Amino acid sequence: MAKTGQYHPFEQAVMANEYFYPPIEPYETGLLRVDETHELYWEQCGNPSGEPVVFLHGGPGAGCSEHDRCFFDPGHFRIVLFDQRGSGRSKPVGDLSNNSMQHTAEDIEQLRETLGIDQWHVFGGSYGSTIGLFYAQEHPERCKSLVLRGIWLLREEEIEWWLYGIRMIQPELWEKFSGFIPADERGDLLQAYWKRLTGADRELALQAARHWTLYEVACCTLLPNEEFLGHFDDPDTSWAVARLEAHYFRNVKPDPDTLLLDRVERIRHIPAFAVHGRYDIVCAVKNLVDLAKAWPELETAISPDSGHSSHEKGITRELVAATKRIVETGSPCS
């Protein structure tokens, strides 16, 4: 057997987390033209005749990774992954035009119809939970179940926490994040970063993006994780994620602020499971509690030894257990 160091970093990460299914490759990939500007990368993995499930990545802007295929039994599921507008392998990367939750929900529908799928299970974490909830509320008849992680409802209190509140727990990381901005602009960090991320100075935009993404990613795991940090070594990836996140924080706000909670009535009949890390400081566990209060039928779990990332073993264990329950009973709920 080869030594661990001889494996691709992705394979090392999968083997280190025993709850993941083994790595797989897509059996089909494509680009979907959704408007005059945007073309979305998509792929299908697993069983072409299997139970359809769509994976919704976070960020916004992060795109899908090879790990994201490994939450599902490839013998049972027809696994659909795609990179949202401006993200990952979709084109153009980092583009903010026509980029909102409504656009993404419409893209999901166009992809579903293109692939000839009538209904599917919806699986999403972090911002993927946001768009998963929004999509289900727009198209409940298309959703067989929801599996959610690290709930993010895009409310003003959550954005304020991300920009300022995290300093109560990670003051050193916050000092680096805020310290990139001149002292006289730190009263509005979002606007200060937005100005740099969308300005004409490309080098300054890349520097701002690096500070933004390192701040977030370093907060994603309970313990420092170099493998996870390495995902954002590519300047273009950091640039796209930072631009899109700042865009959504600043420009794409639910109206009203509590929209995703107010519309839960539309989806209460859909079997749904959500897991949150107890020590998630990117998306506070209060978000899950608030959602569960609005949605009594939602089955929840709080992982006592996890932060935000889906790579945290406690989170992965709960997510894979939920997809196994779909295999066994058709529902992610126990």
Side-chain angles (χ1 to χ4, degrees):
M1 181 176 177
K3 295 179 180 178
T4 302
Q6 294 175 308
Y7 286 102
H8 184 279
F10 164 56
E11 293 175 323
Q12 292 181 33
V14 171
M15 288 186 296
N17 190 330
E18 65 270 24
Y19 300 107
F20 276 128
Y21 285 96
I24 54 173
E25 293 296 322
Y27 65 78
E28 184 180 18
T29 65
L31 290 172
L32 178 67
R33 172 67 65 180
V34 290
D35 66 13
E36 293 182 358
T37 301
H38 293 280
E39 205 171 20
L40 307 187
Y41 169 86
W42 59 268
E43 64 181 46
Q44 297 195 85
C45 310
N47 182 352
S49 302
E51 186 82 2
V53 59
V54 62
F55 181 94
L56 304 178
H57 68 71
C64 293
S65 75
E66 297 162 304
H67 297 85
D68 300 330
R69 306 165 185 160
C70 300
F71 292 101
F72 313 98
D73 179 347
H76 181 84
F77 286 104
R78 178 183 176 185
I79 309 158
V80 179
L81 303 95
F82 77 102
D83 292 342
Q84 297 160 27
R85 296 188 182 207
S87 306
R89 292 150 291 187
S90 292
K91 303 173 184 179
V93 173
D95 193 280
L96 307 178
S97 63
N98 299 329
N99 203 320
S100 69
M101 290 194 294
Q102 187 65 53
H103 287 106
T104 305
E106 292 169 2
D107 293 346
I108 296 169
E109 273 297 275
Q110 186 174 340
L111 179 60
R112 181 189 62 76
E113 292 172 357
T114 298
L115 298 179
I117 295 170
D118 182 51
Q119 288 183 306
W120 49 11
H121 301 275
V122 177
F123 183 110
S126 195
Y127 175 71
S129 75
T130 318
I131 196 61
L133 288 166
F134 184 83
Y135 170 72
Q137 290 169 3
E138 291 289 300
H139 302 281
E141 73 283 358
R142 300 303 178 188
C143 302
K144 300 185 78 171
S145 77
L146 291 170
V147 177
L148 307 173
R149 183 266 311 169
I151 301 300
W152 174 254
L153 302 170
L154 204 52
R155 295 173 296 176
E156 194 60 42
E157 69 177 57
E158 297 167 51
I159 296 170
E160 185 73 12
W161 167 261
W162 194 96
L163 290 167
Y164 295 99
I166 287 176
R167 63 181 163 179
M168 302 299 290
I169 299 172
Q170 288 279 17
E172 301 93 340
L173 292 174
W174 187 84
E175 287 291 341
K176 291 179 182 178
F177 170 65
S178 62
F180 176 72
I181 301 299
D184 62 348
E185 295 184 63
R186 291 177 198 162
D188 192 343
L189 286 172
L190 178 55
Q191 182 60 28
Y193 266 97
W194 174 256
K195 182 170 68 174
R196 289 158 177 80
L197 290 167
T198 58
D201 187 333
R202 172 71 173 175
E203 185 56 38
L204 182 61
L206 291 175
Q207 291 176 24
R210 182 67 175 164
H211 279 80
W212 179 288
T213 54
L214 281 179
Y215 169 62
E216 177 172 8
V217 176
C219 291
C220 275
T221 53
L222 184 61
L223 300 175
N225 186 319
E226 291 300 320
E227 180 269 329
F228 194 66
L229 285 170
H231 181 64
F232 293 91
D233 283 344
D234 177 37
D236 289 332
T237 300
S238 292
W239 179 76
V241 169
R243 276 171 58 87
L244 279 160
E245 289 188 347
H247 168 63
Y248 271 74
F249 286 9
R250 183 179 183 272
N251 305 321
V252 185
K253 296 184 178 181
D255 185 17
D257 189 56
T258 54
L259 179 71
L260 294 176
L261 295 176
D262 297 344
R263 303 199 310 177
V264 158
E265 193 66 33
R266 299 183 182 188
I267 58 174
R268 284 180 60 179
H269 64 286
I270 300 174
F273 171 82
V275 60
H276 213 108
R278 170 64 70 187
Y279 300 105
D280 184 340
I281 62 170
V282 176
C283 301
V285 72
K286 177 180 180 293
N287 302 345
L288 174 68
V289 173
D290 291 347
L291 181 60
K293 285 180 180 177
W295 190 355
E297 296 82 6
L298 176 68
E299 184 169 311
T300 65
I302 297 176
S303 177
D305 57 353
S306 302
H308 180 67
S309 170
S310 63
H311 297 194
E312 302 270 65
K313 288 189 177 183
I315 299 291
T316 310
R317 180 180 63 244
E318 293 286 354
L319 291 173
V320 172
T323 65
K324 286 182 176 178
R325 290 194 292 271
I326 294 175
V327 174
E328 294 164 357
T329 68
S331 167
C333 304
S334 57

